[in-house]
């Protein structure tokens, strides 16, 4: 890998500068949890910083539902396209590019350059569409392990992620205990609740019942299920923000044209949600969305241990940092504490931080000084 | 009115027996808050019990988003069609048909026999569709006042409702202070939060963007926006239940066929939601749903008092019972306390009860002994 991680050319925000994604090809078949086999696959990857000679300073950043490999910096061809977690990566930042070699990727099934429903199925010469298999968190970890191999990385200094990304960090400690020294499981849960699954199912039904979905083979019809994906994203945004934050950000403020006694935008919050929905539906792939939510639903490492999470986590040898945010109602602190309690029960090394932050589930993406200090301190303990 | 309220012929559950709805016609125009004028309108009504000579024992039951006039008893032609709040109405029950004359109606804009988008617009001879005006809580109260007039009821002993029904009870005390002695405002809020509006907007967008919506004139196309209405209802149900209740009722339990790595029903909660969505979409009118949610969004009696709720409620002369439920996250107890605090500030008579009940927002429909005792006791204080 030779992603062009430049020196910090924007001192004011100290970011990693211009970056470019690279596609890494894997030609050996990958057996998925579903039983399906991917004969070959690509992963879109970005890296920042330099891998040391011992290859011991690598940090893997796992993305959540809508993320991808572009974690930090800006794209050489579009300075406005800043990575989704830029605030935590860079010289002097918690994921310090002066110390660490940071790897971001787009997961299998994604729509940002990795093999997924919208990429070409070599067997047919057409987009996979509905034929792209459902992938799980374990499948992602397996693919990420292959990626580590290409770098010659035996063990990650750390695997970090928020939300669904945190679940991957946890799964790494279970599937490859010897290959991860530190796991940063942020704003996550050891499994979804019924309510979590319910929200996902409404989102999926919005997509699946959109007449433009065509059973997932919409590419062949030159349409995309925009309506369904837009609704899914609108709904998602409600669960990402806290009630208080929404109250503060929007309250009952109205826009010009309010009081029209019609169904156009009247309240600010409507405008925000519709805008978020439109923006997302224009760039994201609906088949990917379906698969990401299904990976969330299926994630449940304790299931094969009779719901005993401590038993499930016993094989992990990593040090853990579990972080939750007080206003997160998608995966509230109680869900993080389940993991902490299981690890403590086992006598496994764990640091837990419950952070006061007003931004709901999205807090994990925020540039919060306390939060970043916690991450920095944990990584120092893990070492390079 | 002469709704056939029979003697209690089912002693075991002590209900009001067979009932029938009646349509009451109003020929005088009704000026709506939007400025629109309804030249005439019908209200579908049921009554239980007997109006006393002084006409002082009447209780109005206001319905929430999906309710109607069939509050109690069973329909003569369908013994399985029990009223939606049957458990609280009947001889010996809190809304005691031996003491009170109970009136249920379908609100203006509804789809159960009252004038609404699916009823015929006399001016065109066709269903109103999108041309039926948006109605507000105040508009409903105005129509309900006309209904009281037809009975010769000067003042209701009480107006009672849960959720959106509770908002009508509150509005009665403001629009017609002299015409209501007791207001039972249950599981309600003095106005929606940004999050509440956000959920409503996603539901509306699901309907409005359904290709079968046809701008609200779908009747003419012989289709209904089933997909959108189904999604709206699925989403609604998530907000009606508590997280804990969902966990207890469904958890992560799966159905036969789970683990299929596809998008058919796998988890019990998916099955429940889809079933609720399908059932509702088959019987409810999408244009009505749009209007009910809009009435919720607009409700905000303090708005014209510079957000001073106490100032807004000062003109009420009724006694108030405010009830909230601990697990209700749609309108949590804090929202009820806003009303209580405003009334207390004004020195107005108010009883507040915050009831431990596991059923989330739907608790207001439950046959909970403590809850029913609170209602009974308040009504005793109000008198007949």
């Amino acid at each position: 890998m030779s992603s062009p991680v430049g020196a910090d050319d924007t001192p004011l925000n100290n970011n990693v500068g211009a970056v470019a994604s690279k596609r890494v090809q894997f030609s050996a078949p990958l057996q998925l949890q579903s039983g399906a086999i991917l004969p070959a696959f690509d992963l879109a990857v970005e890296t920042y910083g330099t891998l040391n000679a011992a290859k011991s300073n690598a940090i893997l950043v796992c993305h959540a539902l809508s993320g991808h490999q572009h974690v930090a910096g800006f794209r050489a061809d579009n300075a406005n396209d800043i990575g989704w977690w830029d605030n935590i990566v860079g010289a002097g930042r918690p994921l310090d590019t002066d110390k660490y070699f940071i790897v971001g990727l787009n997961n299998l099934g994604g729509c940002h350059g990795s093999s997924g429903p919208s990429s070409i199925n070599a067997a047919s010469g057409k987009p996979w569409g509905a034929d792209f298999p459902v992938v799980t968190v374990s499948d992602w970890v397996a693919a990420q392990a292959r990626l580590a191999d290409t770098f010659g990385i035996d063990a990650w200094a750390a695997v970090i992620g928020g939300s669904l990304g945190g679940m991957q960090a946890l799964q790494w400690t279970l599937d490859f205990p010897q290959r991860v020294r530190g796991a940063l499981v942020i704003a996550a849960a050891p499994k979804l609740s019924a309510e979590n699954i319910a929200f996902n199912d409404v989102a999926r039904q919005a997509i699946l019942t959109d007449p433009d979905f065509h059973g997932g083979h919409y590419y062949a019809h030159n349409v995309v299920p925009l309506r369904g994906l837009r609704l899914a994203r609108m709904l998602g945004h409600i669960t990402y923000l806290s009630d208080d934050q929404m109250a503060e950000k929007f309250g009952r403020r109205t826009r010009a044209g309010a009081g029209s006694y019609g169904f156009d935008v009247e309240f600010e919050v409507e405008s925000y949600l519709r805008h978020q929905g439109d923006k997302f539906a224009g760039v994201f792939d609906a088949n990917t969305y379906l698969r990401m939510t299904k990976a969330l639903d299926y994630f449940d490492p304790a299931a094969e241990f009779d719901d005993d999470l401590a038993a499930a986590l016993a094989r992990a040898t990593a040090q853990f940092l579990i972080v939750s945010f007080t206003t997160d109602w998608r995966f509230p602190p109680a869900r993080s504490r389940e993991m902490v309690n299981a690890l403590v029960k086992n006598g496994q090394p764990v640091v837990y931080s419950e952070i006061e932050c007003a931004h709901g589930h999205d807090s994990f993406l925020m540039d919060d000084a306390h939060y970043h200090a916690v991450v920095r301190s944990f990584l120092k303990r893990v070492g390079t």
Side-chain angles (χ1 to χ4, degrees), chain A:
Chain A
M1 293 298 304
S2 59
S3 295
V5 177
D8 191 344
D9 51 5
T10 52
L12 275 177
N13 65 14
N14 194 30
N15 76 33
V16 299
V19 298
S21 294
K22 183 168 175 174
R23 192 172 301 194
V24 184
Q25 299 184 314
F26 298 85
S27 53
L30 183 69
Q31 164 88 54
L32 303 175
Q33 229 181 336
S34 65
I37 293 171
L38 275 182
F41 63 96
D42 296 348
L43 292 178
V45 177
E46 287 189 13
T47 69
Y48 325 106
T50 308
L51 188 59
N52 63 13
K55 301 189 173 181
S56 63
N57 70 333
I59 296 179
L60 176 66
V61 179
C62 301
H63 70 76
L65 204 148
S66 60
H68 43 66
Q69 71 278 12
H70 184 37
V71 178
F74 57 86
R75 292 198 198 273
D77 59 352
N78 180 1
N80 294 319
D81 188 354
I82 309 284
W84 56 270
W85 208 357
D86 184 79
N87 66 41
I88 207 168
V89 180
R93 291 187 180 169
L95 273 58
D96 193 336
T97 46
D98 288 343
K99 296 180 186 165
Y100 301 104
F101 176 65
I102 316 293
V103 178
L105 84 158
N106 185 216
N107 276 325
L108 221 44
C111 54
H112 290 87
S114 291
S115 296
S118 55
S119 59
I120 299 298
N121 178 354
S124 67
K126 294 176 185 167
W128 281 91
D131 298 331
F132 196 89
V134 166
V135 283
T136 66
V137 170
S138 265
D139 293 333
W140 288 335
V141 168
Q144 291 160 1
R146 295 267 189 99
L147 180 62
D149 294 342
T150 68
F151 290 113
I153 296 168
D154 286 335
W156 300 101
V159 179
I160 182 173
S163 193
L164 180 54
M167 294 169 175
Q168 294 161 59
L170 181 61
Q171 193 69 49
W172 258 99
T173 72
L174 307 179
D175 291 353
F176 299 99
Q178 307 306 323
R179 300 193 70 175
V180 50
R181 300 205 307 275
L184 295 90
V185 181
I186 303 171
K191 63 184 174 191
L192 294 206
S193 69
E195 187 179 275
N196 294 148
I197 295 171
F199 277 119
N200 280 347
D201 196 50
V202 176
R204 280 193 296 265
Q205 288 296 307
I207 293 168
L208 293 165
T209 64
D210 185 324
D212 285 336
F213 182 65
H214 295 289
H217 291 293
Y218 45 86
Y219 317 102
H221 293 77
N222 288 313
V223 291
V224 287
L226 277 180
R227 288 174 292 249
L229 192 53
R230 175 175 177 270
L231 290 170
R233 186 61 167 181
M234 290 177 73
L235 181 52
H237 265 278
I238 299 179
T239 70
Y240 303 153
L241 302 178
S242 71
D243 190 17
D244 284 350
Q245 186 193 6
M246 272 198 164
E248 194 178 316
K249 197 167 178 173
F250 310 110
R252 293 177 54 85
R253 276 195 308 283
T254 51
R255 291 172 69 84
S260 66
Y261 296 92
F263 302 106
D264 290 338
V265 162
E266 296 199 296
F267 292 94
E268 284 287 354
V269 67
E270 297 175 311
S271 168
Y272 171 83
L273 285 184
R274 295 186 198 182
H275 173 71
Q276 294 295 335
D278 288 335
K279 200 171 68 171
F280 186 74
V283 298
F284 206 80
D285 181 64
N287 277 320
T288 290
Y289 199 91
L290 292 175
R291 281 157 183 75
M292 295 286 163
T293 59
K294 209 67 192 173
L296 275 163
D297 288 5
Y298 279 140
F299 181 71
D300 185 5
E304 54 188 304
F305 291 84
D306 207 14
D307 275 338
D308 182 342
L309 186 60
L313 302 188
R315 67 185 184 277
T317 57
Q319 298 189 55
F320 284 87
L321 171 65
I322 313 278
V323 177
S324 70
F325 299 94
T326 49
T327 56
D328 184 353
W329 68 276
R330 187 177 175 90
F331 298 139
R335 308 306 315 280
S336 280
R337 279 187 236 118
E338 292 173 26
M339 294 181 275
V340 174
N341 291 339
L343 292 165
V344 167
K345 185 178 174 192
N346 291 339
Q348 290 168 284
V350 56
V351 176
Y352 175 52
S353 184
E354 193 168 310
I355 291 174
E356 294 267 0
C357 186
H359 297 276
H361 188 58
D362 275 352
S363 295
F364 83 85
L365 293 168
M366 298 297 153
D367 191 2
D368 178 277
H370 178 193
Y371 167 38
H372 278 196
V374 165
V375 170
R376 190 189 301 270
S377 151
F378 178 77
L379 287 176
K380 195 169 179 185
R381 173 191 299 228
V382 169
T384 52

